[in-house]
Amino acid sequence: VDELGIDVDFNKGTIVWQGAKDDGVVFAGIRWGQRRDWRDSQRLANWTGARSVGIARMGYWVWDERGGDGALSHWQGLSEVADEFGDDWRGELPLAVDVEKAPVSWDELRQFLLLVEADWGRKPTIYSGSWILEELAPLPEWLSEYEWWVTGYNNVGPDVWGPFADLHPTVVCWQQSEDWRVSWSSAGYVDRDYWQGDLGGYLMPRVVNLDDLVAWLDAHGYECEPPAPPPIGAAFALASPLPVPLSQHRISQEFNANPQWYAGVGGHDGVDFAIPEGTPVLASHAGKVTVSGYRPDRPTYDPYGDHVRIEQAALDLDGQERVYTTIYGHLDRLDVQVGATVEKGQQVGLSGGVGSRAGNSTGPHLHFGVVCRGAQSRGETFLAGDFASPWLWLKDLPERVISAEIVQRRKTLTALNIRNVPMTDGSLVRRTMAVGVTFSVYEVRSGWGAIDFSRTGWSSLNPSYSGVA
Ligand SMILES: [Zn+2]
């Protein structure tokens, strides 16, 4: 039997570890920290709690160079947390190093991995996913010496494709679901993982190639019951986030524009409206405020600057249950607090775009973004494919308020063969459908059409999406 585990950080709140044990959890990835100075607030409670009930522990450290931290400063941060744990610092499983943030200086990362190996007396595991490893390619050869904990987030299977697949990775652990609904996490959910094989004494039968992994999935996959969906509202639609017709504002940057500047997400991930500072910004839909200010994991700099995010579970255009998040970036004043419920049209702040807390902004504007994901929230970490064009849901606005250019784009129909496009969920489809592209379905599972990229990474969508051939 493959071993059931979880991974937790401060986002999951307080964990009642006996509850996890009772549900069959035998191992846990526990976030320690990130960079030089960031520490997970639940690290000690989780580290001692898991031990107290005999759950095997795997600390994990997030590699993050964005503030200039290299191997030594990451290692210093890690060592200080290890010191806090006294004699109990090692855990039962190898430390994992989370590599999912660009950029990565491979020599620095390798230095850090070697320092960790020297401390632990065994190689760390690397947590990552194909989507980020593709961005980071070309990948150095030495990565194939490590064992991998692979992101999945989809109940379907690990996404192993592209440059990552070319490494022929040894996959020891798979993050299956980001939203296993449980009563023993105060957040109400945890991330669910599977270890490939027996953990006893850390004797892991290795999954040495992708064929084995796929065979394992065929034999054991889909064990996780789909989580209960949140209450679903009506079909999602967006009102204007600005009090005056959008046609009166210049669009200073369109969705998906300038991929050279947004390597991490493939292009600009929202629409920028050039508006004067101090313009009221309105909730484009009802929902719950999940961010107001900087994101908690970016305490010193957030590219969106002070911003507001609103989350709402609702039906997609096609009747599918989704979780939407709208992002109102670069605000000069915040009028709502995290956790608040807002109504459509409610003022959430005043626009900005200049000043020390404007984030990645070169002048006054509102950045308006939409994230559309599966039926469950998984916090504020989004994949590139989660971002969708706001115009998809703004399209019910009277056409007179939409620029002629946008109207024209909607009418431009093209066909695109996306078999080889490395994306992990249907939002690529939605995003691209927003400009009228059609798709072909290559496989059908469980009533969902699958766009099968290579058998090692695939996306799914409901075949009843209009335009799917
Ligand atoms: Zn923007």
Side-chain angles (χ1 to χ4, degrees):
V1 169
D2 301 283
E3 303 290 1
L4 172 64
I6 59 174
D7 62 278
V8 292
D9 67 0
F10 72 100
N11 283 309
K12 309 305 181 298
T14 305
I15 305 295
V16 179
W17 285 93
Q18 186 61 50
K21 176 100 172 168
D22 293 344
D23 270 356
V25 169
V26 299
F27 75 95
I30 294 170
R31 191 178 184 183
W32 283 18
Q34 179 168 335
R35 302 191 299 262
R36 173 66 180 81
D37 290 323
W38 193 90
R39 311 285 159 78
D40 191 281
S41 57
Q42 294 294 318
R43 63 191 182 280
L44 191 56
N46 284 335
W47 197 248
T48 55
R51 184 189 185 180
S52 70
V53 296
I55 288 176
R57 299 163 301 169
M58 164 174 62
Y60 72 92
W61 195 266
V62 178
W63 181 259
D64 180 2
E65 291 180 26
R66 294 171 301 177
D69 293 298
L72 274 179
S73 64
H74 276 86
W75 182 75
Q76 283 163 354
L78 176 75
S79 302
E80 286 171 14
V81 173
D83 286 347
E84 293 173 2
F85 296 159
D87 291 342
D88 188 38
W89 59 274
R90 206 178 287 267
E92 291 71 38
L93 297 170
L95 187 91
V97 177
D98 179 320
V99 179
E100 54 180 331
K101 296 182 190 310
V104 171
S105 305
W106 293 112
D107 288 346
E108 288 293 318
L109 175 62
R110 188 178 201 191
Q111 187 67 32
F112 177 63
L113 294 168
L114 292 171
L115 287 166
V116 172
E117 183 176 349
D119 273 350
W120 263 258
R122 59 192 186 195
K123 274 186 161 37
T125 303
I126 302 177
Y127 171 87
S128 194
S130 304
W131 54 278
I132 180 69
L133 292 169
E134 185 190 46
E135 287 174 21
L136 298 173
L139 305 178
E141 196 69 17
W142 53 260
L143 279 176
S144 59
E145 299 163 12
Y146 287 85
E147 294 176 337
W148 297 81
W149 171 19
V150 176
T151 61
Y153 285 138
N154 57 28
N155 292 337
V156 174
D159 296 311
V160 182
W161 42 259
F164 185 38
D166 293 340
L167 286 178
H168 303 289
T170 300
V171 177
V172 295
C173 191
W174 166 39
Q175 187 168 48
Q176 180 204 28
S177 169
E178 73 281 11
D179 43 31
W180 183 17
R181 297 270 150 169
V182 294
S183 61
W184 34 267
S185 147
S186 66
Y189 70 102
V190 292
D191 294 359
R192 178 164 169 156
D193 299 84
Y194 281 109
W195 202 281
Q196 318 284 325
D198 181 8
L199 285 166
Y202 188 54
L203 291 170
M204 289 187 302
R206 305 285 166 78
V207 174
V208 293
N209 61 47
L210 282 176
D211 289 342
D212 290 351
L213 183 58
V214 169
W216 178 86
L217 283 168
D218 286 345
H220 297 95
Y222 321 116
E223 289 176 1
C224 188
E225 286 296 312
I232 296 293
F236 192 65
L238 293 174
S240 170
L242 293 167
V244 276
L246 297 182
S247 60
Q248 295 184 13
H249 304 297
R250 186 170 61 87
I251 293 170
S252 51
Q253 196 174 201
E254 255 292 3
F255 181 76
N256 258 355
N258 298 311
Q260 73 279 15
W261 296 344
Y262 302 96
V265 288
H268 184 234
D269 58 14
V271 175
D272 287 345
F273 297 103
I275 51 171
E277 293 169 69
T279 303
V281 174
L282 313 177
S284 199
H285 58 102
K288 194 173 116 186
V289 176
T290 56
V291 172
S292 182
Y294 287 7
R295 281 164 283 179
D297 66 337
R298 291 165 197 235
T300 56
Y301 176 77
D302 192 313
Y304 291 116
D306 277 326
H307 69 288
V308 166
R309 298 183 181 201
I310 301 172
E311 184 177 281
Q312 180 192 12
L315 297 181
D316 200 349
L317 298 171
D318 196 48
Q320 297 296 315
E321 296 169 355
R322 303 287 176 194
V323 173
Y324 295 90
T325 300
T326 46
I327 299 173
Y328 309 76
H330 320 296
L331 300 185
D332 194 44
R333 195 182 83 191
L334 302 162
D335 290 337
V336 291
Q337 293 190 328
V338 171
T341 301
V342 294
E343 296 302 318
K344 180 187 285 195
Q346 182 175 335
Q347 182 169 318
V348 299
L350 297 179
S351 73
V354 296
S356 62
R357 290 183 63 89
N360 181 14
S361 173
T362 55
H365 76 284
L366 170 69
H367 171 99
F368 181 56
V370 180
V371 174
C372 172
R373 296 174 290 163
Q376 298 288 329
S377 169
R378 63 162 180 269
E380 299 303 320
T381 301
F382 303 141
L383 308 183
D386 294 334
F387 289 89
S389 169
W391 296 114
L392 184 55
W393 294 282
L394 280 165
K395 70 179 183 181
D396 290 335
L397 291 173
E399 296 221 333
R400 63 184 164 76
V401 307
I402 301 175
S403 76
E405 181 192 351
I406 291 161
V407 172
Q408 184 56 41
R409 183 176 309 179
R410 284 194 191 141
K411 290 176 179 164
T412 305
L413 293 180
T414 55
L416 174 67
N417 180 340
I418 62 169
R419 260 181 307 183
N420 299 312
V421 177
M423 270 299 181
T424 57
D425 66 39
S427 61
L428 171 76
V429 174
R430 282 187 298 283
R431 184 166 82 172
T432 314
M433 278 177 62
V435 293
V437 170
T438 58
F439 302 91
S440 298
V441 176
Y442 293 91
E443 187 180 354
V444 175
R445 289 187 187 190
S446 308
W448 283 67
I451 298 171
D452 193 336
F453 298 126
S454 65
R455 186 75 173 101
T456 56
W458 52 293
S459 183
S460 60
L461 74 163
N462 189 306
S464 60
Y465 270 118
S466 62
V468 172

